[in-house]
Amino acid sequence: MGERTEFRPGEEAPNSAFYIEIGENDNIMGINNPKKISLKAGDPFPNTSNHNRKWTKMESN
């Protein structure tokens, strides 16, 4: 079983990292101006811009 990759507002961050909002159809059209945040492990995720969005860890380059 792998690590979860999507998180809802109020859940705790599993790792210290930068996170970004994703939408239901993000792989098709993307979303405009997604929120980006930095959290420490155990910090709660804040609310997203709308109820259909979730948080995911940003890819590091």
Side-chain angles (χ1 to χ4, degrees), residues 12-50:
E12 292 184 359
N15 303 306
S16 297
F18 287 95
Y19 293 88
I20 188 169
E21 280 185 317
I22 58 170
E24 297 178 318
N25 298 319
D26 198 29
N27 58 343
I28 298 170
M29 297 185 58
I31 57 175
N32 293 330
N33 301 318
K35 286 185 183 177
K36 298 174 185 176
I37 57 172
S38 174
L39 295 176
K40 293 181 183 173
D43 286 349
F45 285 95
N47 288 331
T48 54
S49 298
N50 74 43

